[in-house]
Amino acid sequence: MRASFRLGRIAGVPVGVNWSVVVIFALIAWALAASLFPHSYPGYSTFAYVLAGLAASVVFFGGLLAHELAHSVVAKRNGIEVEDITLWLFGGVSKLKGEAKDPGAELRIAGVGPLVSLLIGIFFGVIAALVGLTGGRGLLLGVLSWLAGINILLAIFNVLPAAPLDGGRLLRAVVWRATGDRTKASVVAARAGWGLGILLIAVGLWQFLRGAGIGGLWLALIGWFLIGAASAEERQARMGSALQGVRVGDVMTPQPQTVSGELTVADFVDHYLFAYRHTALPLAEDGRPVGLVTLDRVRGIPADQRATTTLASVACRADDLVLARPEEQLTDLLPRLSQCADGRALVVSDQGLVGIVSPSDISRAVQHGNMRDQMAPGHR
């Protein structure tokens, strides 16, 4: 999930927000200000309800950020680099460069997020209780109670033993420790995610048919998301097993043909695209990659504008390139590659650009890995 805009860095981790957060933020604030708070705490002005709804929503998303920051901080302490944190429609996601080295690290990284949400919920619950003991019964108590309940609910939901939830990570750590097989543990957690997703869809549709309205559809949507994410995790786990021990330098296409960013799209199509039969070529200056042009990007340029449009203006920018080192494990590159719209990584060394990794390179490596596993002694 890509960030639409950046908020800055917290604890050394870049934090971004996807545009979908605006939608869910507005829905939560509207539901609180227009329905829950007026119904439970009548007698206040419209301005007070709107202010309370906005304040509760801001603090809620602050709690989501704290949840993800906890994952990131513990991951860094366990030797895993954190690319960034992105808040989006279904909460937040911490992009880690690599995976936990052992079940213990997996347990710590996964467990700290729900723990933080639980502590936040308890904190607001204690404050709400103190306000109630002093005689408070108004809108402030409503905001505090809602924040306590929603954060505790978030913690409980996240520890459900199903990928991609934190509970799925905890389940994977337990199965991994018991069997010693990371791939098997990942598949078990992913299958549990499938089961939970189907259950949520069934319950959501049942509630919708019984008149629950948007709440039932929202639950079904969460279930649909869980199924998709769990399926992706299972595929990635099986792919990671096939690629175990394979380095980027083992699969890359070495010394790729490069082009200048000053070349026009028309010249590129006439003299490079069909001559070299590549669907992507790096842009380079003094042997260093500065961009990547692909067939899909070229297709988006109208034919009458290709003679005046340079490759630099349509190529993937240098800041968006996925770079790798030849000695890097291919399994560490895959998560970054899946986030890249162009689906390719450029391989660099101290001497400059030395190779390119494409989806076809990955597919060949997976096929070889599967064949290797099938031919291994003891395989059935």
Side-chain angles (χ1 to χ4, degrees):
M1 178 55 57
R2 289 182 174 273
S4 300
F5 54 91
R6 296 290 182 184
L7 296 181
R9 301 177 74 91
I10 302 178
V13 180
V15 177
V17 175
N18 183 264
W19 66 268
S20 58
V21 167
V22 178
V23 177
I24 192 63
F25 178 88
L27 287 175
I28 292 175
W30 175 80
L32 294 175
S35 179
L36 180 61
F37 289 159
H39 177 75
S40 303
Y41 305 93
Y44 289 87
S45 66
T46 301
F47 175 77
Y49 290 128
V50 171
L51 184 62
L54 289 174
S57 299
V58 169
V59 176
F60 170 64
F61 277 95
L64 290 179
L65 179 57
H67 178 117
E68 294 302 327
L69 276 172
H71 285 311
S72 298
V73 169
V74 175
K76 291 174 70 174
R77 289 181 178 177
N78 283 271
I80 303 175
E81 282 190 69
V82 181
E83 185 174 343
D84 60 26
I85 293 173
T86 301
L87 297 181
W88 71 299
L89 182 64
F90 290 107
V93 59
S94 299
K95 297 178 186 175
L96 307 182
K97 295 182 178 180
E99 294 189 341
K101 305 302 182 185
D102 55 70
E106 179 94 331
L107 200 68
R108 291 188 292 272
I109 296 169
V112 70
L115 177 61
V116 167
S117 294
L118 179 63
L119 292 176
I120 292 174
I122 293 174
F123 171 78
F124 282 111
V126 170
I127 300 299
L130 293 176
V131 170
L133 289 175
T134 58
R137 293 291 185 273
L139 194 54
L140 175 61
L141 180 61
V143 171
L144 293 171
S145 299
W146 182 83
L147 287 171
I150 196 65
N151 278 284
I152 292 175
L153 184 62
L154 180 66
I156 293 173
F157 180 74
N158 267 281
V159 295
L160 293 177
L165 301 177
D166 294 329
R169 305 283 184 265
L170 296 174
L171 175 61
R172 184 170 74 168
V174 171
V175 176
W176 183 5
R177 184 182 293 275
T179 64
D181 189 333
R182 183 199 299 226
T183 301
K184 180 178 180 180
S186 299
V187 171
V188 168
R191 296 290 174 83
W194 254 89
L196 179 61
I198 292 173
L199 178 63
L200 291 179
I201 290 175
V203 172
L205 292 177
W206 179 75
Q207 288 185 342
F208 176 74
L209 293 175
R210 288 179 58 87
I214 191 68
L217 290 179
W218 181 252
L219 197 62
L221 181 62
I222 293 176
W224 173 80
F225 163 74
L226 287 178
I227 289 176
S231 299
E233 291 209 3
E234 182 173 348
R235 287 194 301 270
Q236 185 170 339
R238 295 189 182 280
M239 184 181 298
S241 177
L243 299 178
Q244 193 66 37
V246 179
R247 300 176 306 154
V248 171
D250 297 331
V251 304
M252 71 179 186
T253 300
Q255 304 303 323
Q257 173 66 39
T258 62
V259 292
S260 169
E262 298 179 357
L263 194 71
T264 65
V265 171
D267 287 337
F268 172 72
V269 172
D270 293 339
H271 301 108
Y272 286 85
L273 187 60
F274 298 107
Y276 292 97
R277 299 185 180 278
H278 296 313
T279 57
L281 289 177
L283 306 185
E285 292 180 0
D286 300 325
R288 296 288 175 181
V290 295
L292 180 70
V293 62
T294 64
L295 180 58
D296 288 338
R297 289 177 177 269
V298 169
R299 282 174 177 164
I301 307 300
D304 59 347
Q305 297 180 19
R306 292 177 179 176
T308 57
T309 303
T310 64
L311 294 182
S313 63
V314 301
C316 172
R317 298 177 304 173
D319 293 342
D320 296 327
L321 291 174
V322 176
L323 302 179
R325 305 281 295 187
E327 65 275 11
E328 183 179 355
Q329 291 294 311
L330 190 58
T331 50
D332 291 338
L333 172 62
L334 290 180
R336 307 205 307 275
L337 204 57
S338 65
Q339 300 293 330
C340 173
D342 294 296
R344 293 165 177 82
L346 300 182
V347 187
V348 296
S349 67
D350 295 337
Q351 289 72 42
L353 180 67
V354 295
I356 184 171
V357 177
S358 68
S360 58
D361 295 324
I362 303 293
S363 297
R364 282 193 295 270
V366 171
Q367 291 174 1
H368 292 161
N370 289 334
M371 290 180 61
R372 176 197 62 201
D373 293 341
Q374 292 172 7
M375 297 176 66
H379 178 82
R380 291 187 177 182

